[in-house]
Amino acid sequence: MKYYIIAGEASGDLHGSNLMKALYEKDPSAEIRFWGGDLMQNVGGTLVKHYRELAFMGFIEVIMNLKTILNNIKICKKDIEAFQPDVIIFIDYPGFNMRIATWAKERNIPTHYYISPQIWAWKENRIKAIKRDVDFMYVILPFEKDFYEKKHNFPVHFVGHPLIDAIASRTEVSDESFRKENQLSEKPIIALLPGSRKQEISKMLSIMLSVTNDFPDYQFVIAGAPSQEYEFYKTFLTNENVKFISNKTYDLLSHSHAALVTSGTATLETALFNVPEVVCYKGSYISYQIAKRIITLKYISLVNLIMDKEVVKELIQEELNTNNLKLELNKILNSDSRTILLNNYAELKQKLGGEGASKKTAELIVNSFKK
């Protein structure tokens, strides 16, 4: 069968790559064409566009790049028409994917959505388009099933969280080997995860680095995003207590004592590695003011949303400053807060379910054709 997959961000590339592996297992003759990144490309298939060309963050940024976005949608439609897939699989990235879903539904192409748009956070009115244009929805957060089925009478499949698969499938690296390979000292590591887009990295990293001199007994290590070149990070590497490692975030987290993390999928990844963290977020003033008025959630991190309580500290906008960051980092390094946090992480893992999200989803997609 022919599969067309659209992922527009780094997290979508990760989950898309694991889904592709599972699809090839279930359907060895599968032809896959996709929008994604390096991880998906390493699995096989044909890459149409890299997510580096698609990632625009914030309301103002989207408006400024609207012409590019609309052109990408046009390219995508033409490419789908030429490929003539048996199915289109959307991975998150709703602003783009929901437009393609509407177009695909009009042409009777089966539509499968893996990793639901976060309409429980904002734009809940998208449920109308989802019910109209999406044939099958696969959700990865436990509360999403009730949201769709009980609140909106739309059946979905809860498949568990694919991050559990991604973490379980990685190859372990010993602490000694990791430090030696990356020229790290014996000091405990504080990981800095500033995001994957240039806009957010520029905003977050300078604030994260502002506390490094206050913790001389630790070494800080920046997790470089695979989508960014080393040259971009060089300007931030002015302190000898700060190191840089590119495209090895999971290895870094597995050997870290604590982390400062930009809000997003990385907050959940950090928790699944049992690393105490402080969640950071700072957007442009206008984008933040707009978001504050239309998003009604109590929390911004996935960890707190899933647990429905403050498990990890969130420093948002003006609260994200050197003094607050220093205070909260101190808490998770040494105090009882660290023990409580790790106990909450154990409960979080239970809520997410076990391994197998990618395999379950691939099996459901392939079986939908048999039916």
Side-chain angles (χ1 to χ4, degrees):
M1 292 207 316
K2 297 168 77 172
Y3 304 84
Y4 200 97
I5 304 175
I6 306 173
E9 298 170 304
S11 60
D13 181 36
L14 171 64
H15 303 323
S17 68
N18 287 320
L19 179 62
M20 285 171 66
K21 289 173 191 174
L23 284 171
Y24 280 129
E25 284 181 18
K26 296 288 178 187
D27 181 7
S29 62
E31 290 181 56
I32 301 178
R33 196 168 174 86
F34 63 92
W35 294 47
D38 298 342
L39 296 176
M40 293 172 77
Q41 194 168 24
N42 290 340
V43 176
T46 303
L47 174 66
V48 181
K49 254 188 188 294
H50 200 288
Y51 68 78
R52 277 193 298 261
E53 302 176 55
L54 309 174
F56 301 107
M57 177 188 173
F59 300 96
I60 302 303
E61 292 80 6
V62 167
I63 291 169
M64 289 172 62
N65 291 280
L66 192 57
K67 185 177 179 181
T68 301
I69 293 167
L70 292 174
N71 188 52
N72 283 335
I73 290 170
K74 189 175 179 181
I75 291 168
C76 186
K77 289 176 180 178
K78 286 184 71 174
D79 195 61
I80 292 170
E81 282 183 328
F83 184 56
Q84 295 189 325
D86 296 297
V87 59
I88 300 177
I89 303 167
F90 304 106
I91 301 180
D92 201 0
Y93 198 50
F96 188 96
N97 276 334
M98 285 307 302
R99 287 172 180 256
I100 301 298
T102 301
W103 174 87
K105 189 67 175 178
E106 291 169 354
R107 285 151 183 80
N108 296 314
I109 306 173
T111 53
H112 294 246
Y113 217 122
Y114 178 44
I115 305 177
S116 161
Q118 295 178 350
I119 64 170
W120 36 265
W122 71 303
K123 289 194 175 180
E124 191 169 344
N125 61 346
R126 273 182 171 157
I127 187 62
K128 295 176 184 176
I130 287 172
K131 292 173 82 169
R132 183 190 67 223
D133 300 330
V134 176
D135 296 317
F136 301 93
M137 176 70 78
Y138 311 100
V139 300
I140 63 172
L141 300 173
F143 61 80
E144 289 179 318
K145 188 169 176 65
D146 280 350
F147 172 83
Y148 276 107
E149 295 188 343
K150 292 183 178 178
K151 187 172 184 180
H152 292 293
N153 194 32
F154 181 63
V156 299
H157 300 280
F158 173 59
V159 295
H161 206 291
L163 280 180
I164 295 172
D165 292 345
I167 291 169
S169 64
R170 60 180 289 274
T171 303
E172 294 284 346
V173 180
S174 72
D175 190 66
E176 183 182 356
S177 297
F178 177 73
R179 290 174 186 271
K180 185 176 181 180
E181 180 185 343
N182 296 288
Q183 299 178 320
L184 303 178
S185 72
E186 293 301 312
K187 290 181 181 179
I189 296 168
I190 298 175
L192 304 181
L193 279 62
S196 60
R197 304 178 182 93
K198 281 187 177 179
Q199 294 164 247
E200 63 186 353
I201 294 169
S202 297
K203 280 183 182 294
M204 303 299 169
L205 197 47
S206 57
I207 301 173
M208 291 177 176
L209 290 171
S210 69
V211 302
T212 55
N213 290 331
D214 296 300
F215 298 90
D217 296 331
Y218 296 86
Q219 59 187 321
F220 291 78
V221 182
I222 300 168
S227 57
Q228 304 300 337
E229 300 293 333
Y230 171 71
E231 293 300 314
F232 171 67
Y233 291 96
K234 270 180 70 174
T235 55
F236 299 99
L237 299 172
T238 56
N239 187 323
E240 63 180 17
N241 199 31
V242 178
K243 304 295 182 182
F244 173 83
I245 298 176
S246 182
N247 201 17
K248 294 181 184 176
T249 302
Y250 282 9
D251 287 345
L252 174 59
L253 286 174
S254 69
H255 298 287
S256 293
H257 189 69
L260 306 180
V261 187
T262 295
S263 178
T265 305
T267 62
L268 184 56
E269 291 173 311
T270 303
L272 292 175
F273 274 98
N274 283 326
V275 180
E277 65 185 301
V278 180
V279 176
C280 309
Y281 179 77
K282 194 165 195 173
S284 70
Y285 176 80
I286 296 174
S287 290
Y288 176 71
Q289 291 302 320
I290 295 170
K292 193 167 69 169
R293 284 159 176 76
I294 62 175
I295 298 175
T296 57
L297 296 175
K298 288 187 287 184
Y299 309 108
I300 63 167
S301 71
L302 283 171
V303 175
N304 291 344
L305 285 167
I306 294 165
M307 294 293 286
D308 196 26
K309 64 180 181 180
E310 187 181 73
V311 172
V312 294
K313 182 64 179 179
E314 299 177 351
L315 295 178
I316 306 170
Q317 213 64 7
E318 66 273 2
E319 290 183 355
L320 180 59
N321 56 55
T322 303
N323 288 337
N324 285 342
L325 206 52
K326 179 182 173 182
L327 176 68
E328 296 303 329
L329 184 54
N330 261 316
K331 286 181 185 178
I332 63 171
L333 286 175
N334 304 303
S335 72
D336 291 341
S337 299
R338 183 179 180 87
T339 304
I340 295 168
L341 188 51
L342 292 173
N343 288 336
N344 277 312
Y345 281 174
E347 187 181 340
L348 171 74
K349 290 176 185 177
Q350 288 184 328
K351 282 180 176 280
L352 288 174
E355 296 175 33
S358 305
K359 289 184 178 180
K360 288 174 195 170
T361 305
E363 188 171 359
L364 287 164
I365 292 170
V366 174
N367 286 347
S368 70
F369 289 91
K370 294 177 183 177
K371 292 177 183 177

